[in-house]
Amino acid sequence: PRTLKSLKRTPGNSKMAQPSKNPYWSAARPFVLGGSAGMLATLVIQPIDMIKVQKQLYEGAVPSTTKIVKDIMAKEGYKGLYRGMSAGLFRQATYTTARMGLFNEFQSRLKATVPKGEVAPAWHAFLAGFSAGALGAIVGNPADLTLIRMQADANLPMEQRRNYKNVFDALIRITREEGVLGLFSGVAPTVVRAAVLNTGMFASQDIAKNTFAGITGAPKDDLYKVGVPSALTAGFFAAACSLPLDMIKTRMQKMQPDATTGKLPYSSNLDCASQILKKEGPLGFYKGFGTFLIRIGPHVAITLVMIDVLKKNMP
């Protein structure tokens, strides 16, 4: 009689047992894993992201995190901390899916150019991260725009609030009221910010993995000795590199014309940067860095760790 072991060796069963051999799944897998990991991380980090955006919207003295949380809770309750969640998840489903999948694709193509047995140079990770971040940001800009506006809405006077019901209502209304190009408001700083963030994230993770593997003697795919500390390192550098650009992006995306003159507060990304520097000084670009680090660092770390976990469980 044929045993279970012998059944597993039959050609038909062998194919079913190895989904990674399916060319369609092999191509889609990096995108699916990246988007799934990003969405899981967002469920954890969303309240911190809300606080980060509130701090960036202040042009004068920034209130403490405690005061911001109390104000949100007093006005909207716990659900206020999750305002814009639908847009946040949609952003991960577009932006993170694209950037993670593209990074894997670019890195694989660059790796194919490295002679067998040699270590890929660090600039491969820089180039792949920069390119994937920039292209992913273009895909995710509509969702990012709606997220910023939904989170900033409660700070506006009642007559100026947009009151979007959800991310899809926001997308439809922006398209109807501002045209399709309105969905790409602030795309330039978003692209630059994403390119810088992803370069810092992927490059520092790649260097950190080699470093921690060398220090501990563990293989690079060891989750606890290499994966987690490398992900935390990547989170710090991603935050440090991208905050100034994130500040400009946030200011550009939430701006509205003056009710009296109809003039926008900033004429361009460069004008926005110039005004921040002039009115708030160099440290103005790092306003809310502690909150930003707490928001970006864990999100990056959780995303990278979840990708490693999902890779092992979704072959």
Side-chain angles (χ1 to χ4, degrees):
R2 293 167 68 185
T3 64
L4 182 60
K5 187 174 182 179
S6 66
L7 283 173
K8 288 183 178 178
R9 289 178 178 173
T10 61
N13 285 326
S14 177
K15 287 182 180 179
M16 292 180 67
Q18 298 180 36
S20 59
K21 294 294 179 69
N22 184 311
Y24 299 106
W25 171 241
S26 295
R29 182 171 175 265
F31 293 87
V32 174
L33 296 185
S36 300
M39 292 173 79
L40 289 170
T42 292
L43 290 173
V44 178
I45 300 300
Q46 180 69 12
I48 301 174
D49 187 54
M50 167 64 75
I51 297 168
K52 181 268 295 183
V53 169
Q54 299 304 309
K55 287 197 172 190
Q56 289 183 333
L57 295 178
Y58 283 92
E59 297 187 7
V62 181
S64 67
T65 298
T66 303
K67 185 178 186 308
I68 289 176
V69 172
K70 285 183 177 179
D71 287 345
I72 293 174
M73 293 286 289
K75 293 177 182 177
E76 305 171 69
Y78 287 104
K79 68 179 182 179
L81 295 172
Y82 283 89
R83 191 193 319 143
M85 172 59 84
S86 62
L89 292 174
F90 186 64
R91 179 176 182 269
Q92 296 304 315
T94 51
Y95 166 60
T96 298
T97 296
R99 65 175 174 139
M100 292 297 184
L102 289 171
F103 175 77
N104 184 79
E105 179 67 21
F106 295 154
Q107 193 176 47
S108 296
R109 291 180 179 274
L110 289 169
K111 189 176 180 179
T113 65
V114 179
K116 192 173 182 179
E118 293 187 16
V119 178
W123 68 266
H124 278 194
F126 280 90
L127 179 60
F130 187 91
S131 304
L135 293 172
I138 295 174
V139 174
N141 196 82
D144 193 59
L145 175 66
T146 60
L147 174 62
I148 293 295
R149 289 190 176 182
M150 290 174 75
Q151 290 181 326
D153 213 37
N155 289 6
L156 298 172
M158 290 295 294
E159 66 276 7
Q160 293 183 24
R161 292 182 185 178
R162 299 179 174 96
N163 295 314
Y164 297 134
K165 298 175 183 176
N166 53 53
V167 62
F168 300 108
D169 177 55
L171 292 170
I172 292 170
R173 284 181 51 189
I174 292 171
T175 303
R176 185 170 60 237
E177 296 166 8
E178 304 172 40
V180 175
L181 291 180
L183 294 171
F184 294 91
S185 174
V187 70
T190 300
V191 167
V192 177
R193 177 253 189 192
V196 171
L197 184 150
N198 281 274
T199 301
M201 178 178 76
F202 287 122
S204 61
Q205 184 198 28
D206 188 62
I207 294 170
K209 278 194 170 184
N210 290 327
T211 302
F212 286 115
I215 293 173
T216 63
K220 288 179 68 176
D221 62 354
D222 186 293
L223 182 62
Y224 299 104
K225 294 181 180 179
V226 178
V228 171
S230 297
L232 291 171
T233 302
F236 175 81
F237 281 101
C241 292
S242 63
L243 179 55
L245 296 162
D246 188 80
M247 174 69 73
I248 296 171
K249 174 187 75 70
T250 299
R251 294 278 180 92
M252 290 292 292
Q253 289 183 328
K254 74 94 182 180
M255 68 178 179
Q256 282 194 333
D258 184 271
T260 305
T261 65
K263 184 179 178 182
L264 290 169
Y266 309 115
S267 60
S268 66
N269 300 314
L270 187 60
D271 178 54
C272 179
S274 176
Q275 288 197 43
I276 292 174
L277 183 62
K278 182 178 179 180
K279 296 177 181 178
E280 304 169 52
L283 293 180
F285 291 104
Y286 280 90
K287 186 179 292 184
F289 177 71
T291 305
F292 188 74
L293 177 61
I294 293 172
R295 181 259 182 260
I296 291 293
H299 193 283
V300 167
I302 293 171
T303 300
L304 294 176
V305 169
M306 285 306 302
I307 287 176
D308 286 342
V309 172
L310 291 173
K311 279 181 180 178
K312 294 181 179 180
N313 292 279
M314 296 176 67

